[in-house]
């Protein structure tokens, strides 16, 4: 069912129109009735006057020359006088010739006067042609009739009507002024109320509804004030809830983005960290692949996910787009998995490298065992050579396993927090290595200040030992290793310098990687595991420090642990 829209009018217009219509109807009615009453009253008066006049004149009718008397009496010309005989014949008339006039016995007023007493009538006269009022009274020999033109009443009536119109006009004006004043009195507070309601609707919740002197308007004002307070408290709780959700989403380690239609309606700060700026429109979201994931999720109504590579340095983002059922919105969750993927890759490489490293000595042992078996029957003097080979491979295998165990222990636990005298450890490790160094014709020189650090003694000892062992291992006979330790710029610096082979520049940035060796074809006697420096770096970084290396081929190397 359709309703016609209501037309809107201003209060003043409505009141004025209603007033004008009512007033006009009332005035038409009053005018009509008033006019009727006035006419009736006037004509009653006229008839009474004419009757009195007729009665007094009837006594004065002369016995003869009646026509002359009639003309004399009506000399002023306002009234007409007619004398009628008992049979209705006109004896005299002030306006016409009685001889020409017909019998008047059937005229209502004459008929009444001849039979009942006094008669009157108002009608158009046959003689004059105008509307006349007639009054007839009986006389001794017939009747006397006095008549006057109806128009004699009109002048008085017109005067009455003019006065009535004047009074109506004045009361109309007074009424309109009153309506205007009332409207003004009402519409002022109403307009203020409506302004306040509009302001509140626009969010100005500090606005108080004005108080007026009209009870009904004040009731609306009070209701508005109550509604405003209710609205404010609801807005507060909605705002608090929104803030809580914002905090919650901001605290999530995942970037979130809510897309509605073509607009980005929400994004949390984690996302803003991973996508620099978050635009307002979906078409501006980068990387662009996110847009196609959103479209895909929307069209198929299912969750879609993908890894995206972006930025310099390159980062890997794992993006999941989920359609929000029913709302047509799509929730995008972005996780920066760069580190995770890197660790995964490293782990895969590490397993592959470790397997390869372990396979080499095992293969060598197996081959040597075969050789031993054959040599034991054909040339027993060579058996010892092969068992030596087996022993060396087994020792290499054992070193790899022991280094791997060290690494895995270091990775799985945080270093202890003990007071460690680093100078003592350096001295002990240098002394321990001195025999091996002596055998290789290398001199060890130590110069350390007393150094106290907080950390794990076994781990720091392992790091120092690896550096000293490397320095001895990669230094030819006649060379020297110098270990120093001291404080500088608020830090502890331990350096192990040698006059050994040195390392080519291009290898320097990789030697701390696991299983990285500079020269694979190196003599098996000094073949390391490739894990020593990786262990050193891990220990130093776990203690909040860093490692540095300076080296020149053929001159020597300096390794520094800065804690
Ligand atoms: P490795 O067990 O092979 O010594 P490291 O991780 O200790 O493994 O060392 C990695 C590589 O760095 C070694 O293969 C070696 O070539 C080089 N290197 C380490 N220390 C020195 C040094 N003091 N002088 C020259 N080269 C070194």
């Amino acid at each position: 069912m359709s309703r016609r829209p209501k037309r809107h009018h201003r209060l003043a217009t409505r009141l004025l129109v209603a007033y004008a219509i009512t007033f006009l109807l009332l005035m038409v009615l009053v005018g009509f009735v008033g006019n009727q009453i006035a006419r009736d009253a006037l004509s009653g008066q006229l008839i009474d006057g004419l009757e009195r006049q007729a009665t007094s004149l009837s006594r004065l009718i002369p016995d003869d020359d009646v026509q002359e008397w009639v003309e004399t009496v009506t000399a002023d010309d306002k009234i007409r006088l007619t004398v009628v005989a008992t049979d209705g014949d006109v004896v005299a008339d002030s306006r016409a010739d009685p001889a020409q006039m017909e019998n008047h016995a059937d005229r209502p007023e004459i008929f009444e006067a001849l039979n009942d007493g006094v008669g009157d009538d108002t009608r158009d006269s046959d003689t004059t042609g105008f509307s006349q009022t007639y009054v007839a009274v009986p006389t001794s020999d017939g009747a006397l009739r006095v008549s006057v033109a109806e128009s004699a009443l009109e002048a008085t009536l017109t005067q009455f009507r003019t006065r009535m119109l004047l009074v109506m006009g004045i009361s109309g004006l007074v009424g309109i002024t009153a309506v205007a004043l009332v409207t003004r009195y009402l519409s002022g507070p109403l307009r203020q109320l409506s302004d306040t309601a509009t302001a509140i609707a626009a969010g100005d919740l500090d606005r108080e509804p004005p108080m007026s002197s009209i009870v009904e308007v004040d009731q609306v004002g009070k209701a508005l004030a109550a509604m405003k307070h209710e609205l404010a408290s609801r807005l507060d709780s909605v705002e608090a809830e929104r803030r809580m959700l914002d905090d919650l989403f901001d605290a999530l380690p995942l970037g979130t983005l809510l897309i509605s239609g073509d607009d980005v309606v929400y994004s949390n700060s984690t996302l803003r960290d991973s996508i620099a700026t978050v635009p307002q429109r979906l078409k501006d979201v980068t990387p662009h692949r996110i847009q196609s994931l959103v479209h895909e999720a929307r069209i198929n109504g299912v969750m879609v996910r993908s890894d995206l590579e972006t930025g310099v340095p390159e980062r890997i983002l794992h993006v999941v787009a989920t359609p929000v059922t029913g709302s047509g919105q799509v929730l995008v969750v972005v996780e920066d998995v760069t580190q995770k993927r890197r660790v995964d890759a490293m782990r895969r490489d590490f397993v592959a490298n470790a397997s390869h490293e372990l396979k080499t000595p095992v293969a060598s042992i197996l081959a040597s065992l075969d050789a031993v078996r054959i040599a034991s029957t054909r040339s027993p003097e060579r058996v010892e050579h092969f068992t030596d080979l087996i022993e060396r491979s087994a020792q290499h295998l054992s070193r790899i396993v022991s280094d791997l165990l060290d690494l895995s222990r270091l990775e799985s636990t945080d270093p202890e927090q003990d007071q460690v005298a680093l100078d003592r450890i350096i001295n002990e490790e240098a002394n321990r290595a001195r025999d091996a160094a002596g055998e290789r014709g290398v001199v060890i020189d130590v110069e350390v200040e007393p150094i106290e650090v907080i950390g794990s003694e076994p781990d720091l000892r392992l790091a120092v030992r690896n550096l000293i062992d490397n320095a001895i291992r990669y230094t030819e006979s006649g060379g020297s290793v110098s270990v120093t330790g001291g404080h500088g710029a608020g830090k502890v610096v331990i350096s192990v310098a040698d006059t050994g082979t040195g390392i080519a520049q291009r290898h320097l940035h990789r030697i701390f990687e696991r299983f990285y060796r500079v020269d694979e074809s190196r003599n098996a006697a000094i073949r390391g595991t490739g894990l020593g420096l990786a262990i050193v770096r891990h220990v130093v970084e776990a203690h909040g420090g860093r490692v540095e290396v300076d080296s020149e081929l053929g001159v020597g190397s300096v390794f520094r642990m800065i804690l």
Side-chain angles (χ1 to χ4, degrees):
M1 209 169 75
S2 73
R3 270 200 190 176
R4 272 234 322 257
K6 276 199 171 176
R7 291 176 61 195
H8 288 95
H9 300 282
R10 298 188 49 180
L11 180 65
T13 323
R14 278 208 167 195
L15 283 177
L16 279 175
V17 169
Y19 170 78
I21 291 173
T22 318
F23 184 77
L24 277 177
L25 285 177
L26 212 62
M27 286 305 112
V28 168
L29 194 70
V30 167
F32 184 74
V33 173
N35 190 51
Q36 215 50 46
I37 291 172
R39 179 184 281 277
D40 287 352
L42 281 175
S43 94
Q45 271 178 19
L46 185 69
I47 289 168
D48 285 351
L50 289 177
E51 188 188 332
R52 271 197 304 278
Q53 209 170 0
T55 310
S56 27
L57 283 172
S58 69
R59 294 190 199 109
L60 304 175
I61 302 174
D63 292 335
D64 42 12
D65 288 333
V66 182
Q67 178 65 27
E68 200 188 315
W69 175 75
V70 188
E71 280 169 18
T72 321
V73 172
T74 60
D76 64 355
D77 215 19
K78 271 203 183 144
I79 57 164
R80 174 182 168 198
L81 214 55
T82 314
V83 178
V84 183
T86 327
D87 59 0
D89 280 345
V90 178
V91 178
D93 190 280
S94 61
R95 291 282 167 84
D97 178 5
Q100 306 283 314
M101 292 169 71
E102 61 190 33
N103 184 288
H104 269 44
D106 62 341
R107 301 291 195 274
E109 71 281 358
I110 303 287
F111 180 82
E112 267 179 69
L114 292 179
N115 295 298
D116 285 338
V118 182
D120 66 82
D121 190 29
T122 300
R123 64 170 183 278
D124 288 347
S125 156
D126 289 345
T127 316
T128 63
F130 297 111
S131 176
Q132 298 273 129
T133 299
Y134 304 92
V135 174
V137 291
T139 57
S140 48
D141 41 2
L144 173 89
R145 185 178 76 172
V146 181
S147 71
V148 74
E150 258 265 288
S151 59
L153 273 182
E154 284 308 315
T156 323
L157 264 180
T158 308
Q159 211 177 23
F160 169 76
R161 283 189 203 120
T162 316
R163 287 201 187 142
M164 199 159 73
L165 276 178
L166 193 71
V167 170
M168 282 178 181
I170 291 174
S171 34
L173 278 179
V174 170
I176 284 180
T177 317
V179 167
L181 286 176
V182 167
T183 326
R184 214 183 142 129
Y185 177 69
L186 268 180
S187 65
L190 281 178
R191 194 168 311 126
Q192 281 181 352
L193 212 56
S194 112
D195 287 352
T196 312
T198 311
I200 291 174
D204 180 5
L205 292 181
D206 294 332
R207 190 80 168 254
E208 285 297 337
M211 285 294 134
S212 71
S213 49
I214 306 164
V215 179
E216 288 80 357
V217 172
D218 277 2
Q219 276 169 351
V220 178
K222 277 181 196 149
L224 193 63
M227 195 185 80
K228 190 198 79 166
H229 287 125
E230 177 65 23
L231 192 68
S233 81
R234 283 195 192 192
L235 277 181
D236 278 353
S237 62
V238 167
E239 177 65 13
E241 230 164 81
R242 197 187 59 80
R243 227 175 292 132
M244 191 194 77
L245 277 179
D246 267 2
D247 292 348
L248 201 86
F249 275 102
D250 284 350
L252 274 183
L254 302 171
T256 52
L257 189 70
L258 189 63
I259 313 282
S260 182
D262 290 333
D263 297 321
V264 175
V265 289
Y266 177 79
S267 64
N268 70 348
S269 64
T270 321
L271 184 87
R272 295 191 279 277
D273 292 344
S274 53
I275 305 189
T277 53
V278 179
Q280 304 285 309
R281 315 274 298 164
L282 173 63
K283 67 177 171 47
D284 300 325
V285 172
T286 51
H288 293 284
R289 178 86 179 101
I290 291 183
Q291 299 176 25
S292 41
L293 285 178
V294 169
H295 292 313
E296 237 174 275
R298 192 174 279 157
I299 291 166
N300 301 330
V302 292
M303 176 197 283
V304 283
R305 53 175 78 228
S306 177
D307 274 1
L308 319 178
E309 281 144 25
T310 180
V312 187
E314 188 177 81
R315 280 172 313 134
I316 304 166
L317 303 178
H318 182 67
V319 181
V320 183
T322 317
V324 182
T325 359
S327 67
Q329 297 179 323
V330 177
L331 177 70
V332 179
V333 176
V334 179
E335 185 184 3
D336 190 334
V337 290
T338 317
Q339 194 57 28
K340 209 166 139 197
R341 296 284 185 272
R342 204 168 281 157
V343 168
D344 287 349
M346 265 164 63
R347 197 155 283 155
R348 274 197 304 275
D349 288 354
F350 178 74
V351 171
N353 284 335
S355 318
H356 175 75
E357 291 294 328
L358 290 170
K359 236 165 78 182
T360 316
V362 169
S364 156
I365 289 172
L366 289 176
S368 301
L369 275 175
D370 270 349
V372 167
R373 204 168 293 131
I374 295 164
S376 61
T377 52
R378 296 194 194 156
S379 45
E381 71 284 358
R382 290 193 48 81
V383 167
E384 200 182 336
H385 167 70
F386 289 119
T387 49
D388 278 354
L389 278 182
I390 291 174
E391 190 186 354
R392 240 179 288 154
S393 292
Q395 274 168 357
H396 184 58
L397 194 62
S398 149
R399 273 203 307 277
I400 293 177
V401 171
S402 137
D403 279 357
L404 282 176
L405 284 175
D406 279 338
L407 254 184
S408 101
R409 181 182 56 81
L410 288 170
E411 275 182 350
S412 57
T413 52
D414 285 335
E416 289 130 59
Q417 301 286 306
D418 297 331
Q419 193 92 16
V420 182
L422 255 185
D423 52 318
R424 178 175 51 80
I425 289 176
I426 291 168
N427 279 314
E428 283 171 8
E429 286 306 312
N431 289 337
R432 186 197 55 81
R434 220 157 241 136
D435 285 350
E439 274 173 28
R440 288 184 54 83
V442 175
V443 185
I444 301 185
D445 186 25
V446 180
E447 203 182 315
V448 278
E449 304 173 357
I451 305 168
E452 288 275 331
V453 292
I454 303 291
S456 155
E457 177 167 331
D459 294 357
L460 289 167
R461 183 184 290 279
L462 189 62
V464 171
R465 177 183 300 173
N466 281 354
L467 286 184
I468 294 178
D469 282 356
N470 275 357
I472 296 169
R473 199 141 35 104
Y474 297 105
T475 302
E476 307 293 329
S477 172
S480 68
V481 172
S482 137
V483 187
T484 58
H487 298 89
K491 304 220 157 83
V492 168
V493 182
I494 314 293
S495 76
V496 178
D498 62 59
T499 57
T501 56
I503 307 160
Q505 196 66 30
R506 65 176 194 284
H507 295 297
L508 279 184
H509 70 284
R510 296 201 59 190
I511 55 171
F512 290 99
E513 288 174 18
R514 292 160 186 193
F515 297 118
Y516 190 83
R517 289 196 205 85
V518 171
D519 186 2
E520 280 290 348
S521 64
R522 169 150 253 125
N523 156 16
I526 60 164
R527 193 160 178 263
T529 60
L531 292 170
L533 288 180
I535 291 173
V536 172
R537 181 171 72 174
H538 199 101
V539 169
V540 174
E541 286 177 356
H543 282 77
R546 63 191 158 88
V547 281
E548 275 180 3
V549 58
D550 285 326
S551 187
E552 202 177 320
L553 261 187
V555 178
S557 317
V558 185
F559 284 85
R560 267 179 235 101
M561 294 170 33
I562 301 162
L563 296 166

